Amino acid sequence: MDKKDLRIIFMGTPEFAVGTLSELIENNYNIVAVVTQPDKPVGRHQNVLQPSAVKSYALQHDIPVLQPVKMKDPAFVEQLAEYEADIQVVVAFRMLPEVVWSMPRYGTFNVHAALLPQYRGAAPINWAIINGETETGVTTFFLDKNIDTGRIILQKRFPIPEDADVEYVYDGLMNLGAEIAVETLDLVIANNGDIPSTDQTELETDATTLHSAPKIFKETRRINWNLPAKNVYDFIRGLSPYPVAWTNLNFDDKNPTTLKVYNTKKTHESSEGNIPGTILTAKNSLYIACQDEWLEITELQQAGRKRMTSTDFLNGNKDIELGIVE
């Protein structure tokens, strides 16, 4: 089998998926169509439709684009079948019904931004950093009836530096995901579709603790200052620069101000005797007490203001000397 003989349908939506789609096109794989989310209403009046990053890229390369509202829609399923794909590649897309993922003769594989069976779910990059992991990676696996549980094809590992945020890991895994997708398709070609794979349960032991990666909501992002400083530090970088951790600042005893926190520094200075959430300003720097140590806030954003350094924030809020965040 040759690249041109393998008919591929690609499914994905955000920029993360474009990294893989771009790599496949540049390596001359036969992408017969792309499936992505419907255009999203944006703007003040929600009257402007914005295409997904994957759609924009596909149209630039004259690839047909399908945008079903419902994946089980009979008209969409019929249209999909007309492309007679041999395999489907999924990156950062939604859950597929069996009628879709079982359609190609070689099945459908997903590029997941974690080392399965760890971090199954919608936000694997965020949760790996939040949990203080020093390593993550990407996995290709066959889709089945459950979420992120299918047989593993390949994995590649990626180190997480102690000061890395989501953007750093996102970029690294986007590139690594593109590489592993190419290697997986090469396996398909070399083995005429009979791809070796491993059941995820074989990677688990009695001592294995499985971490999940559920979708992140606003309340998920609220900082808990009662935790040790290391946990708070990891939590903040695990949500930076998006969707961003937040806290409420009560410095006027009336209306709390929401602060988004982008970056912090560990001080290794004990906060003993201070209530977690206590604010301290010193030498134009902003510190907040955690369970065990002070954490320096270096970059933040006040509601209605632009993102700024803590120094600029304090220059504009000279009445903040001692207060509480919660």
Side-chain angles (χ1 to χ4, degrees), residues 14-35:
E15 191 66 34
F16 188 89
V18 173
T20 299
L21 178 60
S22 169
E23 189 74 9
L24 298 185
I25 291 173
E26 290 175 7
N27 280 276
N28 300 313
Y29 288 93
N30 183 19
I31 311 296
V32 298
V34 158
V35 181

Side-chain angles (χ1 to χ4, degrees), residues 10 12-22 53-54 90-93 110-114 124-125 137-138 169-178:
F10 183 88
T13 295
E15 191 66 34
F16 188 89
V18 173
T20 299
L21 178 60
S22 169
V54 163
V90 180
V91 184
F93 198 49
N110 188 311
V111 178
H112 187 71
I125 297 175
V138 289
V169 180
Y170 181 100
D171 289 345
L173 294 189
M174 181 170 66
N175 294 328
L176 204 60

Side-chain angles (χ1 to χ4, degrees), residues 1-303:
M1 185 189 301
D2 191 79
K3 286 182 182 180
K4 66 179 179 5
D5 300 319
L6 186 69
R7 296 177 62 82
I8 302 167
I9 285 181
F10 183 88
M11 299 185 180
T13 295
E15 191 66 34
F16 188 89
V18 173
T20 299
L21 178 60
S22 169
E23 189 74 9
L24 298 185
I25 291 173
E26 290 175 7
N27 280 276
N28 300 313
Y29 288 93
N30 183 19
I31 311 296
V32 298
V34 158
V35 181
T36 191
Q37 295 277 36
D39 294 358
K40 183 179 180 181
V42 296
R44 182 177 179 183
H45 301 291
Q46 298 286 287
N47 58 353
V48 176
L49 292 178
Q50 178 175 293
S52 71
V54 163
K55 177 181 179 179
S56 297
Y57 188 87
L59 292 179
Q60 291 172 15
H61 292 82
D62 299 318
I63 299 173
V65 176
L66 308 181
Q67 296 178 274
V69 174
K70 296 182 178 180
M71 300 298 290
K72 291 184 179 180
D73 183 345
F76 164 68
V77 173
E78 181 179 352
Q79 187 180 21
L80 191 67
E82 289 174 356
Y83 284 97
E84 299 180 336
D86 297 305
I87 195 164
Q88 292 173 155
V89 179
V90 180
V91 184
F93 198 49
R94 50 180 151 167
M95 189 174 180
L96 304 183
E98 185 173 359
V99 67
V100 172
W101 59 256
S102 65
M103 186 180 294
R105 60 174 176 161
Y106 298 145
T108 299
F109 75 82
N110 188 311
V111 178
H112 187 71
L115 297 172
L116 293 174
Q118 295 292 355
Y119 295 103
R120 294 172 178 146
I125 297 175
N126 301 97
W127 285 108
I129 300 172
I130 288 170
N131 288 338
E133 301 285 2
T134 58
E135 182 181 63
T136 185
V138 289
T139 302
T140 51
F141 69 98
F142 286 113
L143 292 188
D144 62 14
K145 294 181 180 180
N146 299 309
I147 298 176
D148 301 336
T149 60
R151 294 181 65 86
I152 290 174
I153 306 167
L154 293 174
Q155 291 189 320
K156 282 180 171 289
R157 297 180 177 275
F158 182 82
I160 304 177
E162 188 184 14
D163 60 349
D165 62 10
V166 171
E167 186 172 44
Y168 175 88
V169 180
Y170 181 100
D171 289 345
L173 294 189
M174 181 170 66
N175 294 328
L176 204 60
E179 291 178 16
I180 202 172
V182 167
E183 291 180 18
T184 302
L185 287 173
D186 286 345
L187 271 179
V188 174
I189 294 169
N191 293 277
N192 289 314
D194 186 17
I195 315 171
S197 60
T198 304
D199 191 301
Q200 290 193 32
T201 58
E202 295 182 24
L203 302 180
E204 300 176 29
T205 68
D206 292 339
T208 301
T209 299
L210 291 181
H211 299 285
S212 60
K215 187 175 181 180
I216 292 173
F217 298 95
K218 181 179 179 180
E219 278 306 311
T220 314
R221 299 186 282 114
R222 188 168 188 164
I223 301 168
N224 180 2
W225 300 102
N226 291 292
L227 295 174
K230 172 65 166 62
N231 297 78
V232 178
Y233 171 82
D234 290 338
F235 182 82
I236 290 169
R237 68 189 180 100
L239 294 168
S240 180
Y242 182 83
V244 194
W246 64 275
T247 191
N248 279 334
L249 170 62
N250 301 316
F251 65 85
D252 63 1
D253 294 325
K254 294 179 181 179
N255 299 313
T257 297
T258 298
L259 296 179
K260 293 180 178 179
V261 183
Y262 288 88
N263 286 304
T264 64
K265 286 183 182 178
K266 290 175 288 184
T267 65
H268 304 294
E269 295 289 338
S270 173
S271 60
E272 185 178 356
N274 292 275
I275 298 170
T278 298
I279 295 172
L280 175 66
T281 60
K283 297 181 180 179
N284 230 16
S285 296
L286 178 63
Y287 303 89
I288 298 180
C290 298
Q291 181 195 90
D292 55 350
E293 297 175 2
W294 292 98
L295 196 65
E296 182 181 356
I297 310 302
T298 58
E299 194 172 11
L300 70 165
Q301 183 176 10
Q302 188 174 353

